[in-house]
Amino acid sequence: MHRSISKKQLNLAVEIINNGGLVALPTETVYGLAADGTNPDAVKKIFSAKGRPADHPLILHLADANQLNRWAKNIPDYAYQLAKSYWPGPMTLILKKQPHVLDLVTGGQNTVGLRVPNHPIAQKVLQTLNEQNKHKPVALAAPSANSFGRISPTLAEHVQEDLGDKVNLILDGGSCSIGIESTIIDCTRDQPRILRPGVISEIDIKNITGLTPLEKPTSDNTNNPAPRVSGDLKSHYAPNTTTVLVNPIELNSYCEKFNNYVVLSREKPSISPVKIYDARIPTSYIHKSDHPKNWILMPEDYAAYAHCLYEQLHLADHLRCEQIIVEDVPKDNIHWAGIRDRLLKASYKGSKS
Ligand code: TXA
Ligand code: MG
């Protein structure tokens, strides 16, 4: 599934980053829009390329978990335990920042988000940067490589289409293996707290730390303000097409009311005629549907579902139907929490209109 890059491309990426430019690169979760996290001008370019408000902090990506205390202080034991178990991997820790961390990166907060990615291309870029900059700490500021509010990219083609004219280089590593963004864990309190669910679940955190993660804070909980998480905006990760989330038992009757749609469902259609796409079989990238009723058959397994979710939402958007109808996924199942969180956000506008 991974595609490798040439030495020449690697060197070019590193040179661009050293010179304050933008490189989109694959991580195991989604593609990131990377720049030198210690260079304010480079970091500003990320915000303008994405159209992202300045108060939405960026994650810093490090080569190695051993570099944690170069960037963070007052690190609780449980954060070290999590870092040791899950880095490199799909987990971001929010910690008190060291004084040198740029306000531009943290959105002026006293905390910083840190992650060690586990993708060979992201790792190679980080390691080469470390070798070339031995005198200073190295970190890549990298949000997901999509315009603010859009679905995150899991293929280089997604980045090319959305931000192609705004980045200096896109490194194509094929499709991202995990497919949804990292689990974000606030480690600034006595107990961990999940700010954004992902494939590393509440149970995983409990197993490693012996601590039960605190409830995710809600945005309306004004007595206990949460650090800002832009993925918390209710309509984040939205396709252009109106998207609705529908209870599985109502799916068929819901679809019968419309003439033009694309469904994402784990079940085969019982209504006909529809054009079927199997999410496990790669389709060529650009589409406009030649059929009014389309059905994307999603995997039943949660890891496989997460892996292809954004790719299939991008495809569904390209089919340019009147709406995207997503069959709801299990509600109170820890393994589906990250996926359901993204589906609720993708469908938020649809549910209001
Ligand atoms: O998997 C991922 O995390 C991907 C890959 C590229 O690493 N990155 C990613 O970045 O999803 P982004 O910027 O799209 O989402 C990071 C989230 C944002 O919602 C941001 O607000 C939150 O992390 N965040 C960053 N620093 C924070 C901080 N100090 N406190 C609270 N939230 C923070
Ligand atoms: Mg994002």
Side-chain angles (χ1 to χ4, degrees), residues 25 27-33 50 52 55-61 90-92 94-95 105-106 109-115 117 142-146 152 180-184 195-196 226-232 236-237:
L25 48 76
T27 81
E28 72 278 30
T29 56
V30 300
Y31 275 74
L33 181 61
K50 276 184 70 90
R52 179 168 175 150
D55 62 352
H56 287 284
L58 303 176
I59 298 173
L60 289 181
H61 295 69
M91 174 184 77
T92 297
I94 306 295
L95 289 153
V105 167
T106 65
Q109 301 183 88
N110 63 359
T111 56
V112 61
L114 299 171
R115 171 160 119 77
S144 51
N146 53 284
S152 294
I180 60 171
E181 303 84 348
S182 60
T183 306
I184 301 183
L195 299 181
R196 180 175 72 186
R228 289 186 293 269
V229 180
S230 73
D232 252 10
H236 220 65
Y237 312 110

Side-chain angles (χ1 to χ4, degrees), residues 39-41 43-44 47 54 56-58 101-108:
N39 176 341
D41 291 332
V43 173
K44 278 185 202 154
F47 285 93
H56 287 284
L58 303 176
V101 179
L102 297 175
D103 277 344
L104 271 170
V105 167
T106 65

Side-chain angles (χ1 to χ4, degrees), residues 123-198:
Q123 271 293 332
K124 262 190 207 143
V125 171
L126 279 163
Q127 281 162 16
T128 313
L129 283 166
N130 273 279
E131 284 158 20
Q132 293 186 5
N133 296 280
K134 291 215 167 75
H135 54 287
K136 61 165 203 170
V138 168
L140 283 176
S144 51
N146 53 284
S147 301
F148 185 64
R150 301 253 69 89
I151 318 167
S152 294
T154 53
L155 290 175
E157 288 88 338
H158 298 154
V159 185
Q160 178 61 43
E161 183 182 59
D162 185 5
L163 299 176
D165 55 345
K166 301 194 172 104
V167 299
N168 299 104
L169 178 69
I170 300 173
L171 295 177
D172 186 351
S175 84
C176 301
S177 57
I178 288 177
I180 60 171
E181 303 84 348
S182 60
T183 306
I184 301 183
I185 309 168
D186 174 9
C187 299
T188 60
R189 299 160 182 251
D190 295 343
Q191 269 168 280
R193 187 166 68 156
I194 297 180
L195 299 181
R196 180 175 72 186

Side-chain angles (χ1 to χ4, degrees), residues 234-253:
K234 289 200 172 75
S235 70
H236 220 65
Y237 312 110
N240 288 308
T241 314
T242 300
T243 303
V244 291
L245 195 59
V246 176
N247 193 315
I249 51 167
E250 289 159 15
L251 186 64
N252 284 329
S253 57

